[in-house]
Amino acid sequence: MARGSGPRMTLSTQLVLRAMLAEPTEEMYGLQICEAAELPSGTIHPILARLEGCGWLESRWEDIDPVEEGRPRRRYYRFTSDGAERARTALSRIHIPRALESRLRPRLVGGTS
Amino acid sequence: MRRATSLRTYARSLALVRELVRELDYAHERARDLTLARDWEVVHIHGLDLVSDLDLTSGLNLTSDLANTLDHALAHARASAQAPDLTHARISDLYRVNASDLAHDLASALDHHLTHAHSRDLDRARVLARDFDLARTRAHARARSYGRICAYDATRVNAFGSARVLARDLDLACAQANALVDALDRACDLARDIARDLANVSALDRVRARAIADDITHARRSFASSVPSVASTGVASGTRSTPGRVTRSLVALVVWLQPAAQRPRYREEFGVELVELSRWRRLGYALRLLASAWELRCTLVEAMPTSDDEPARRADQ
């Protein structure tokens, strides 16, 4: 996947993007994104990998001492410098079927300009 | 002259106790290493990774050090147990009252604590160490068998079976390591009691007694920081339970399906999420991962970095 070309905007991809656009500067880890996007755990890694491959997202390991924190380190994802804007643009071009509006529209608030 | 001799004898007893504490501390570290090695490598084993087998073998090799360490510790403990008689015989002429108290307390501490409970714990630890050696031998055999099987790719199913048996052995070794840590914890408590007795009997050598107390405080701190991580089987948490074998195997399979360069990252990332999920959601998570494994692989292969990006990606890992 060439960096710069957009990902396929499947419904799941849209949900992930909208969940992350709610707080575009915040870092989120996998389970947190699942919860925010209301997607089942274990289904978003291909989406995250695709978005990362396109250069919309970047990820890093949490910088903690697992023994001190009492848990293993997480992999955090966040938008790249232009990733959030590109995501907003891509989402704004998508026609949302009426049946899905109730699920997707609320997330546009604050996520799009 | 006799006073100098008695002081030397007394100092020797103190040194032996300090040495014992150090050896126990070291033995505990080895046990923790083994447990951690098992927790992290079992995923590799299910993922049929030969390199991981080597890591596992080296992890189990640590148990040899443990056996030697415990042998030394036991020898020192026995030497300490014999010291009070010597101390009593030489000191009593010089310090009629204090020496009597000293000998009594030393004898009480070493005979009652060391001879009975402490030696029992250390003997138990030696048995556990022997079991670890057995596990290591089996791991070698499994690794050899696994290597042979992988050479004939057609029988990969058997390799899975072999790896599963190995993982079961390691589960057993982990349980034994936890028992060993408990035993060492009790042994350290007893060593602390002994040191307290030594510190109380006399003002002969307060500096040495303080050094013992420092050693024991250090050992206790080490226990406090490491035992919870052992109890939680490698995820450094006292409350989270270990994912089941089926779940771990599914996740390992998903990891194995990914491009080799990405496996370490996803092994850790999936492992973290698996641990953070509640017990009843883990199997579903693993199945969903499996369902999307091929899609993830295709995405990763498609997004495979060029040679220019490679150093950056490695640095990230």
Side-chain angles (χ1 to χ4, degrees):
Chain A
M1 188 178 304
R3 188 182 170 93
S5 66
R8 283 182 292 121
M9 296 299 283
T10 62
L11 178 61
S12 298
T13 305
Q14 293 175 52
L15 289 169
V16 167
L17 287 174
R18 288 171 202 279
M20 295 190 72
L21 281 171
E23 294 287 345
T25 57
E26 290 291 309
E27 291 185 310
M28 299 172 84
Y29 58 94
L31 291 180
Q32 199 178 3
I33 297 171
C34 283
E35 195 175 331
E38 297 176 16
L39 287 169
S41 58
T43 58
I44 62 162
H45 289 96
I47 299 168
L48 294 174
R50 207 177 300 134
L51 294 173
E52 208 174 351
C54 291
W56 290 18
L57 294 184
E58 59 189 4
S59 63
R60 68 170 183 90
W61 285 113
E62 189 180 17
D63 186 19
I64 59 162
D65 180 354
V67 175
E68 273 185 18
E69 295 292 325
R71 60 173 176 78
R73 60 183 184 157
R74 296 165 175 157
R75 184 86 179 179
Y76 274 101
Y77 295 85
R78 70 175 178 190
F79 281 111
T80 56
S81 54
D82 60 342
E85 193 51 46
R86 289 160 71 185
R88 282 194 194 99
T89 306
L91 286 174
S92 67
R93 288 179 187 152
I94 293 172
H95 167 70
I96 303 171
R98 187 180 298 274
L100 296 174
E101 275 189 353
S102 61
R103 190 169 180 192
L104 294 177
R105 282 296 180 199
R107 296 186 181 282
L108 292 172
V109 178
T112 57
S113 54
Chain B
M1 181 64 189
R2 296 178 72 185
R3 177 190 172 92
T5 304
S6 61
L7 280 173
R8 272 202 305 276
T9 306
Y10 182 63
R12 181 170 164 270
S13 299
L14 291 170
L16 285 170
V17 173
R18 291 182 62 189
E19 182 70 16
L20 174 62
V21 171
R22 274 198 300 273
E23 296 292 355
L24 286 172
D25 196 22
Y26 177 70
H28 174 266
E29 289 294 326
R30 297 297 90 194
R32 189 187 60 170
D33 287 347
L34 175 67
T35 308
L36 290 177
R38 172 263 173 198
D39 288 333
W40 287 108
E41 302 310 329
V42 70
V43 177
H44 296 238
I45 292 158
H46 285 298
L48 295 178
D49 190 337
L50 270 175
V51 177
S52 302
D53 273 350
L54 296 176
D55 291 344
L56 162 72
T57 305
S58 66
L60 287 169
N61 275 332
L62 292 172
T63 56
S64 296
D65 297 339
L66 175 62
N68 290 333
T69 301
L70 291 172
D71 276 342
H72 286 312
L74 188 57
H76 286 157
R78 284 178 178 151
S80 296
Q82 290 166 359
D85 293 337
L86 192 61
T87 305
H88 182 270
R90 292 185 177 175
I91 261 180
S92 58
D93 291 341
L94 196 58
Y95 302 106
R96 286 182 177 77
V97 179
N98 286 342
S100 173
D101 290 343
L102 168 65
H104 177 266
D105 286 348
L106 278 172
S108 171
L110 294 172
D111 288 347
H112 292 290
H113 292 285
L114 263 181
T115 304
H116 298 148
H118 202 173
S119 290
R120 186 191 60 208
D121 284 343
L122 288 172
D123 284 343
R124 186 177 170 208
R126 286 203 305 172
V127 171
L128 291 172
R130 245 194 339 265
D131 290 344
F132 287 153
D133 269 343
L134 180 62
R136 185 190 56 174
T137 305
R138 294 182 69 175
H140 275 300
R142 295 289 174 194
R144 277 198 302 274
S145 146
Y146 173 57
R148 272 201 310 276
I149 289 169
C150 280
Y152 302 98
D153 196 47
T155 53
R156 184 168 285 164
V157 173
N158 289 338
F160 266 116
S162 185
R164 273 199 296 273
V165 172
L166 176 56
R168 196 167 57 233
D169 291 346
L170 288 172
D171 281 341
L172 181 63
C174 176
Q176 290 170 336
N178 282 325
L180 174 60
V181 169
D182 289 343
L184 290 172
D185 202 7
R186 281 197 302 280
C188 193
D189 280 341
L190 293 169
R192 185 185 55 183
D193 291 343
I194 294 166
R196 193 189 302 128
D197 288 342
L198 287 171
N200 287 340
V201 289
S202 161
L204 273 176
D205 197 339
R206 288 191 185 281
V207 174
R208 290 193 186 101
R210 207 174 299 125
I212 293 174
D214 289 344
D215 282 349
I216 290 167
T217 303
H218 172 72
R220 294 298 301 162
R221 200 177 298 126
S222 170
F223 271 59
S225 65
S226 54
V227 166
S229 69
V230 172
S232 67
T233 58
V235 293
S237 162
T239 56
R240 297 183 179 104
S241 60
T242 310
R245 194 165 299 148
V246 174
T247 310
R248 286 196 318 241
S249 302
L250 286 173
V251 172
L253 179 60
V254 173
V255 171
W256 182 67
L257 286 171
Q258 305 314 311
Q262 298 288 343
R263 282 178 199 157
R265 169 192 165 171
Y266 282 100
R267 182 177 293 125
E268 189 170 357
E269 189 167 358
F270 294 157
V272 170
E273 295 187 356
L274 199 59
V275 165
E276 294 201 350
L277 284 169
S278 54
R279 186 187 294 267
W280 58 88
R281 293 176 63 195
R282 287 174 179 163
L283 184 58
Y285 169 81
L287 289 171
R288 283 188 290 272
L289 276 185
L290 187 59
S292 60
W294 189 252
E295 186 186 356
L296 177 60
R297 178 187 167 81
C298 292
T299 305
L300 293 173
V301 168
E302 198 178 347
M304 202 71 87
T306 62
S307 56
D308 293 341
D309 296 336
E310 189 68 10
R313 191 176 54 74
R314 281 187 182 157
D316 182 49
Q317 289 173 0

